[in-house]
Amino acid sequence: MDILKSYDAKFVFLEHRSYVQGSSMTHGLFEAAKSWSLGSVKQLQLNVRSLLKEQGRYDLFSNDNNKPIIKKEYNAMFRLQCGEDVFFVGLKGREEPVLISEPYDEEKLIADCKILKDSKSAALMLYPDALVINIIIALNKKLVSTLFPSEGYGQWFLVRFDLVSEKIRLIEPALLEIEVVGNIGASNTNSTIRLDGESIGSIYFSRNIK
């Protein structure tokens, strides 16, 4: 597949991280799509293959059959639907360091959440202008960290999400619910995401044995 267009991101590290968080990858993707005049993103899938620890470049691929494009040299791959059109985008490093770190209070984002161990779920009321992508990632991380013991394992990382992204542009308060619906041992989890009771996608986390 040929690269049609590219977009150079301007990433910052969040708090003490030494890698680009999945939320930053996603917001960068929205900026790239806007620069390419693709239109509003209705649905979005992200697959993270490896941590990105430098500035990145988004590459838009030509694609005539809508089949998934897998490029092993990319840290992350996106599938996005804009209108009736489907696009595939790869994100990889461009050998330029990230020089700026910004304060990022992940716990504050979800401070009012409720974790319900019996139902393996978490809930939080969202309001317009909320950083919904960031909150989904943070809330699922807190949920799986609560449900599964940490002994012998490293930290949880986002590996994939599928989202009806047009649903997260809030114009009024909405209840976010995340529920773990599957897991492989204590190292891989699959959660469903609901907004005011309506399913808007799923999110997958993974962690390694220390």
Side-chain angles (χ1 to χ4, degrees), residues 50-66:
S50 59
L51 295 179
L52 177 63
K53 298 184 177 183
E54 58 188 308
Q55 293 292 359
R57 174 169 292 139
Y58 294 87
D59 290 332
L60 176 66
F61 293 101
S62 62
N63 181 58
D64 298 324
N65 53 23
N66 287 348

Side-chain angles (χ1 to χ4, degrees), residues 19 24 40 58 78 104 129 183:
Y19 61 90
S24 300
S40 179
Y58 294 87
F78 295 88
Y104 184 66
D129 298 325
N183 62 283

Side-chain angles (χ1 to χ4, degrees), residues 17 65 89 91 98 110 122 140 184 187 193 201 205:
R17 292 167 178 81
N65 53 23
V89 177
L91 171 63
V98 177
I110 56 172
N140 190 68
I184 301 175
S187 59
I193 306 166
F205 268 48

Side-chain angles (χ1 to χ4, degrees), residues 166-206:
E166 64 181 354
K167 296 289 186 180
I168 66 174
R169 304 182 188 104
L170 302 180
I171 58 175
E172 58 185 29
L175 180 64
L176 171 67
E177 297 172 284
I178 299 181
E179 178 186 357
V180 174
V181 294
N183 62 283
I184 301 175
S187 59
N188 295 274
T189 63
N190 170 20
S191 303
T192 189
I193 306 166
R194 295 187 295 270
L195 206 55
D196 276 347
E198 179 184 359
S199 176
I200 62 166
S202 56
I203 187 167
Y204 302 75
F205 268 48
S206 181

Side-chain angles (χ1 to χ4, degrees), residues 98-115:
V98 177
L99 300 176
I100 299 174
S101 294
E102 289 187 348
Y104 184 66
D105 192 340
E106 192 169 63
E107 285 296 322
K108 186 176 180 180
L109 280 178
I110 56 172
D112 296 327
C113 74
K114 293 183 179 179
I115 303 293

